[in-house]
C-alpha cells in the first residue's frame, strides 16, 4: 500500500472505529472538517457518522436496512440486568439535569458513586431484592464506566466523582427509558 492512499482524515476514522471521539481529542478538527468524506468512506461498510457538536462528541453507528437488520460490523454487548438499571438511572438523572437548567449550571453533569447508589435505591421497586444488588453496586458502576457512560473525574479515599457522558442519551432513548421502567415493574 502506498502512502498516497492515506487520507488526511484516516486517523479520525481509526479513532472512531475504536469508540467515541470527544471534542478535546486531537482528531476532532479532522472529523468536523472532513465530515462528508468520512461519512462516504464508512458508509461502504454500513456505518453512519454521528457528530454532536453542541455536546462535544462523535461516534459511528450501524445503518439499519429496511428490514431492521445491519451488516453486523459492530458487535452488540450483552449488558446484565443490574448494569442496565444503573444505566437507566444515569440516563434519567441526565434527562432531569437537562430539563431543569439553571444559570449557574455547567453543561456537564457530575455525580458521585454515593449519589448514584442513592438514586438507584430510590429507583428500585419495593419488592426487588435490594440487599445483594446494593452490595454489588460498585461493580455495576464500574461496568458503566468501562462501557463509556461514566468518566472518572476525581477519586478520593472512599468516594469517586464521575461525569455522565452525554452519549448515554444516544444509546438509551426516552422510549428505551420508559420501556425499561415498564419491564422492571413486570419483573417484580
Amino acid at each position: 500500500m502506498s502512502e498516497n492512499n492515506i487520507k488526511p482524515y484516516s486517523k479520525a476514522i481509526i479513532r472512531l472505529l475504536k469508540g467515541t471521539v470527544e471534542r478535546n481529542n486531537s482528531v476532532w478538527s479532522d472529523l468536523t472538517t472532513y465530515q462528508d468524506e468520512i461519512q462516504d468512506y464508512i458508509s461502504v461498510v454500513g456505518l453512519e457518522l454521528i457528530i454532536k457538536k453542541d455536546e462535544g462528541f462523535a461516534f459511528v453507528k450501524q445503518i439499519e436496512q429496511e428490514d431492521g437488520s445491519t451488516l453486523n460490523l459492530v458487535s452488540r454487548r450483552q449488558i446484565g440486568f443490574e448494569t442496565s438499571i444503573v444505566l437507566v438511572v444515569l440516563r434519567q438523572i441526565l434527562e432531569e439535569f437537562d430539563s431543569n437548567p439553571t444559570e449557574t449550571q455547567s453543561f456537564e453533569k457530575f455525580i458521585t458513586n454515593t449519589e448514584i447508589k442513592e438514586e438507584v435505591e430510590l429507583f428500585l421497586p419495593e419488592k426487588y431484592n435490594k440487599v445483594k444488588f446494593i452490595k454489588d453496586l460498585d461493580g455495576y458502576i464500574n461496568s458503566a464506566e468501562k462501557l463509556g457512560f461514566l468518566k472518572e473525574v476525581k477519586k478520593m479515599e472512599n468516594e469517586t466523582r464521575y461525569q455522565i457522558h452525554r452519549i448515554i442519551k444516544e444509546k438509551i432513548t426516552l422510549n428505551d427509558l420508559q420501556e425499561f421502567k415498564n419491564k422492571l415493574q413486570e419483573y417484580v
Side-chain angles (χ1 to χ4, degrees):
M1 176 186 277
S2 93
E3 203 171 287
N4 296 339
N5 290 338
I6 296 175
K7 304 292 184 200
Y9 48 86
S10 294
K11 283 184 181 178
I13 292 173
I14 291 167
R15 183 62 193 88
L16 274 169
L17 293 174
K18 292 181 178 181
T20 305
V21 176
E22 297 185 42
R23 181 183 332 216
N24 61 358
N25 192 293
S26 61
V27 300
W28 181 260
S29 63
D30 290 344
L31 279 176
T32 56
T33 303
Y34 298 106
Q35 184 173 350
D36 292 337
E37 291 87 345
I38 292 171
Q39 179 57 60
D40 289 344
Y41 185 88
I42 64 174
S43 67
V44 174
V45 291
L47 296 175
E48 177 183 5
L49 174 62
I50 308 292
I51 297 180
K52 298 291 186 174
K53 289 180 184 174
D54 293 344
E55 297 183 9
F57 67 92
F59 65 100
V60 294
K61 74 176 196 176
Q62 295 185 90
I63 297 171
E64 283 192 20
Q65 298 172 4
E66 288 179 21
D67 63 359
S69 67
T70 65
L71 296 178
N72 295 323
L73 177 66
V74 179
S75 61
R76 290 188 158 270
R77 295 181 187 154
Q78 186 68 27
I79 299 173
F81 181 73
E82 293 81 0
T83 301
S84 296
I85 290 174
V86 172
L87 296 179
V88 165
V89 168
L90 292 173
R91 173 62 172 93
Q92 185 171 302
I93 290 168
L94 190 58
E95 186 62 30
E96 290 168 5
F97 176 79
D98 288 345
S99 297
N100 301 305
T102 64
E103 287 184 33
T104 59
Q105 176 175 309
S106 75
F107 179 68
E108 303 301 337
K109 174 62 178 163
F110 297 95
I111 191 165
T112 64
N113 55 334
T114 303
E115 291 168 328
I116 294 172
K117 290 175 184 179
E118 289 169 358
E119 290 291 329
V120 167
E121 281 191 71
L122 293 172
F123 183 81
L124 294 172
E126 287 298 315
K127 297 176 185 173
Y128 192 82
N129 181 1
K130 294 181 183 181
V131 177
K132 180 180 178 349
F133 183 81
I134 299 302
K135 182 178 147 235
D136 298 335
L137 191 51
D138 285 326
Y140 306 136
I141 292 171
N142 288 340
S143 293
E145 182 182 6
K146 286 177 186 166
L147 290 168
F149 296 113
L150 285 174
K151 289 191 285 187
E152 185 179 298
V153 176
K154 185 176 183 183
K155 191 170 187 92
M156 296 159 275
E157 194 172 312
N158 56 354
E159 181 124 285
T160 305
R161 184 172 167 87
Y162 297 99
Q163 174 190 346
I164 302 175
H165 198 298
R166 293 194 162 273
I167 197 164
I168 200 167
K169 291 176 76 172
E170 298 298 317
K171 303 289 183 173
I172 302 173
T173 65
L174 290 176
N175 288 341
D176 295 334
L177 196 59
Q178 190 56 51
E179 189 177 309
F180 188 85
K181 286 179 183 179
N182 294 341
K183 284 183 181 178
L184 184 60
Q185 291 302 324
E186 292 171 12
Y187 179 76
V188 292

